[in-house]
Each structure stands twice: as C-alpha cells, then as structure tokens.
Amino acid sequence: VALVPQGGNTGLVAGAVPHDGAVVVDLRALDHLEAVDVAAAQVTVGAGTTLEALQEHVAPHGLSFGVDLGARDSATVGGMVATNAGGLHVVRYGSMRSQVLGLEAVLGTGEVVAANLGGLVKDNTGYDLAGLICGSEGTLGIVTRVRLRLVPTPEERLVLLLGLPSVADAVDVLARVRARPTLHSVELMRAPDLALVEAHLDRPFPLQPLPPCVLLVELAGADPSPDLERLVTELGLPDERTAVAEGDPAAAGMWRWREAHPEAAAALGLVHKADVTLPAGGLAPFVGSVEAAVEASAPGATTLVYGHLADGNLHVNVVGPDADDDRPLDAVLELVLGHGGSVSAEHGIGRAKRAWLLRQRGEAAVAAMRDLKSALDPDGVLNPGVLLP
Ligand code: 2HG
Ligand code: ZN
C-alpha cells in the first residue's frame, strides 16, 4: 500500500497529497519533546512537533532553533526535515539540513534506521544517512524522531526597513551587510505587492509613498546597533526611506508585512507558486523580466515577487490563470534556468515540480537518486509520484 507521510500539511508543492488510494500517515501525534541538552545545545523531538512548540520548549534555556518560517504554528519538524525547509534565517544558520545532527526513520523496507540520534558533532563513519533523508520528501524513509542543533538566543534584535529605488540597489545593500556577524535576514518586497498587502491588512505600510523596492534587514546579537548605524550612514537614505523596530513585538510587526505576502496573494484567488533561487548577479535581471514572461503566456495575470534575498531565493506568486494552466509557471522556471538558478529553493519538488527535476539535475544525478530510492524503498511504497519523474 502506498504511504504518504504528512505533518502540518503546510507544503506548497503537493508533496503530502494522497493519490490513487494511497494511505496518509499522519505524524502529528509523534509530538514528544525530550529534555533540552543544554551543555550540547541540542534537543531530540518527535517528528510531529510543531516548529512553534519546539521554539517554546527551548526558549527558557536561552536557546533558539536556527530555522524559522511563517507557518511555525502548524509546520512540523518531520515535514521540515523531509523538505529541507529554509525560511527566514538561512543566511545566518543555514537551512534544515544544517540543524539536523541525527534522526530516526522507517525505511520502505520497514527497517528502522537510527542515524546519530546521540547527536555526536563529529562522526565520520560513512554515509550521512540523516543528511540524505533530509530533503528526500518522504520517498526514502518516514522521519519519526530528530536530534537538532540549537543556537544561543541573540540578546537583541533590530529590524530595519530600507526603501530603495531598485532591486539592483537592494543587491548592493546585500553586498554591504553580508559579512556582518549580526546579519540574520535580508528580505525583498516590492511596491506593487506591498500595495496588495496594505489592502489585505487594511493599514498603510510604514514607508510612504511606497518605495519601488523595500529591504527588511534583521540584525541580532549582543549589540547589533553599531552595524545598523553604520549601514544607515553608509546608505545616506532620507529619513522617510528608513524605519527601525527594536525588540520582539515591534520586530514581529515589521515582519508581518513580509509574512502577509502569501496571504495577500491568496486573497486574490488561486495562486500558482514558484520558489526559485538565482545567483546574485541574476537577481535584478530576473525580477526585471519575470512579469513580462508571465504576461506573455497569461495576459492580465497578477505577479507578486518577494523572498529571501540574502539566499538568492525569490517567491513568484501568479494569480489569474486557471488551476491547470501550467504555462505561466513554466515560463518563470525557464527564465530561472536561463539565469543559472534552481527551480526549487526551499519548498522542494513534490508533485508540482517533478517534470523539472531532469532539467535541473541532469540524467546521471537523477539515475543515482533512483538507485538510492530502490535500495531504501524497493517496493516503491513511500510517497510514490513525488520528487522523482
Ligand atoms: C515564504 O517565504 C514562504 O513566505 C511561502 O516560503 C512562499 O507562499 C509562498 O510562495
Ligand atoms: Zn520562503
């Protein structure tokens, strides 16, 4: 019987959607939290633990989890491992794979594999099974427990909004801040999309009139203020082009503008989603041409572009075309490949992007993936139809 592992059901590439009589394996009941190992700054949790429950569990110890994302109240650790989730702080801590020290998973054979659940930081004894299962989208094993690395909670957190004339200017700012150890996030937003978010949230954005391009920069650490002051002085922007939020509630208020982008798109209708990475040099040309590429195949469509600029990761949301009309997204992904990017940055391949895997990775890599799949799941019962074409 085909099995479809499912966590918080927050995936965006249909990787946890059952088809053809497949049975959903709902993992949310595996939500046990083991004691935090403060000396090692690690914790073991069940796969069904939500990101928010994990964050709340470790916070009293002055520790945080390195991955954060908007769906924190429902996304589960197991799903985040299976999809190698990225989120808001990849520039500082890396994506999910960088946080996973070990895991327990049930393979397609029924065999239970425990890979470094003890959390040894150094263990050079052969293949990295935890790293392999991370990002395998439920096709090699069903994750049941995870040993995670934790990070010290930064003492202070500052969120800065910068209004800029263009995406090229935003990429210049990125070059100025990338080396700062306080850097936690650099997120891109644009005026037309912010206007939609303003309508959705029914309040005005802090910078008026809306600048063509806005960067949200989060700096955190023992004292992030000098880095912030240096950046603001170097950029020499007029006062109405910057806004600063200090501390948690105010910072979360700033983040709301960025996190509400998917909701604002969904309020317009069915959203076609692309989650792509571009090399730094391709970011401005891509943003400059993506709307025209969509318009050519779907006249009148609304295109939102926003994302994690520091990772080269942009989210393109297209509203207007019918559910089964793949042409606008195909145009976006062609453009991405033309710029040397990736058709999936952090959401995975799922069912939605399967047709693109060969183009992205090439025959030899996909053949090696198939060989791994048949070794660990010889009967093909784990999430068939996901990831591999
Ligand atoms: C985000 O960064 C998420 O907001 C979702 O990855 C992006 O819905 C999307 O396209
Ligand atoms: Zn994202």
Side-chain angles (χ1 to χ4, degrees), residues 179-259:
R180 306 279 159 83
T182 55
L183 187 69
H184 275 58
S185 305
V186 182
E187 298 285 318
L188 176 76
M189 301 178 273
R190 304 177 318 154
D193 310 329
L194 279 166
L196 296 173
V197 179
E198 281 185 324
H200 178 64
L201 298 179
D202 196 21
R203 54 189 150 98
F205 186 66
L207 309 181
Q208 293 290 341
L210 286 178
C213 180
V214 172
L215 276 190
L216 182 158
V217 179
E218 181 172 301
L219 302 171
D223 182 14
S225 309
D227 278 350
L228 180 127
E229 276 151 29
R230 204 162 101 189
L231 178 63
V232 170
T233 312
E234 268 178 32
L235 293 175
L237 292 170
D239 283 354
E240 66 276 14
R241 285 288 178 260
T242 59
V244 180
E246 287 179 38
D248 273 343
M254 293 283 209
W255 268 107
R256 183 78 187 112
W257 288 101
R258 164 61 184 83
E259 291 184 349

Side-chain angles (χ1 to χ4, degrees), residues 33-389:
L33 298 157
E34 296 184 22
V36 177
D37 182 342
V38 179
Q42 296 178 6
V43 69
T44 301
V45 301
T49 305
T50 63
L51 173 57
E52 195 168 70
L54 167 66
Q55 289 169 336
E56 286 169 3
H57 179 56
V58 304
H61 303 277
L63 294 166
S64 297
F65 186 56
V67 171
D68 191 20
L69 40 82
R72 56 185 76 76
D73 62 341
S74 36
T76 61
V77 169
M80 290 171 65
V81 171
T83 55
N84 184 26
L88 315 173
H89 295 145
V90 171
V91 65
R92 178 74 181 91
Y93 302 115
S95 61
M96 207 58 196
R97 194 176 278 123
S98 310
Q99 325 305 322
V100 173
L101 288 155
L103 54 74
E104 178 189 75
V106 185
L107 305 181
T109 53
E111 209 74 44
V112 178
V113 177
N116 195 30
L117 267 182
L120 296 177
V121 173
K122 291 186 161 179
D123 176 21
N124 255 348
T125 52
Y127 299 155
D128 177 6
L129 292 177
L132 173 66
I133 286 172
C134 188
S136 65
E137 303 188 32
T139 62
L140 301 180
I142 298 183
V143 178
T144 48
R145 278 167 91 197
V146 190
R147 180 76 175 180
L148 297 165
R149 181 193 312 283
L150 302 171
V151 297
T153 304
E155 287 91 328
E156 234 186 276
R157 172 156 99 112
L158 298 173
V159 173
L160 172 68
L161 296 178
L162 297 170
L164 299 163
S166 70
V167 178
D169 293 293
V171 175
D172 284 346
V173 173
L174 191 58
R176 289 174 191 276
V177 291
R178 184 173 291 285
R180 306 279 159 83
T182 55
L183 187 69
H184 275 58
S185 305
V186 182
E187 298 285 318
L188 176 76
M189 301 178 273
R190 304 177 318 154
D193 310 329
L194 279 166
L196 296 173
V197 179
E198 281 185 324
H200 178 64
L201 298 179
D202 196 21
R203 54 189 150 98
F205 186 66
L207 309 181
Q208 293 290 341
L210 286 178
C213 180
V214 172
L215 276 190
L216 182 158
V217 179
E218 181 172 301
L219 302 171
D223 182 14
S225 309
D227 278 350
L228 180 127
E229 276 151 29
R230 204 162 101 189
L231 178 63
V232 170
T233 312
E234 268 178 32
L235 293 175
L237 292 170
D239 283 354
E240 66 276 14
R241 285 288 178 260
T242 59
V244 180
E246 287 179 38
D248 273 343
M254 293 283 209
W255 268 107
R256 183 78 187 112
W257 288 101
R258 164 61 184 83
E259 291 184 349
H261 274 66
E263 296 163 35
L268 300 177
L270 180 123
V271 188
H272 298 255
K273 286 184 178 288
D275 153 51
V276 302
T277 327
L278 279 304
L283 283 162
F286 174 82
V287 179
S289 49
V290 68
E291 260 161 309
V294 171
E295 182 69 21
S297 57
T302 304
T303 305
L304 292 85
V305 184
Y306 55 93
H308 319 287
L309 194 75
D311 317 324
N313 178 187
L314 298 176
H315 296 305
V316 183
N317 290 187
V318 178
V319 189
D322 291 340
D324 56 359
D325 185 355
D326 294 332
R327 290 171 301 173
L329 271 199
D330 287 352
V332 172
L333 300 184
E334 279 297 346
L335 196 61
V336 168
L337 290 183
H339 283 290
S342 170
V343 298
S344 175
E346 59 173 2
H347 297 167
I349 293 289
R351 287 175 181 275
K353 305 290 173 330
R354 217 159 45 126
W356 290 85
L357 192 70
L358 260 180
R359 294 273 307 278
Q360 182 74 50
R361 301 294 301 269
E363 303 260 352
V366 173
M369 289 189 211
R370 280 192 205 288
D371 289 346
L372 286 165
K373 166 83 173 163
S374 24
L376 302 188
D377 179 26
D379 300 322
V381 291
L382 293 184
N383 228 0
V386 165
L387 182 54
L388 292 167

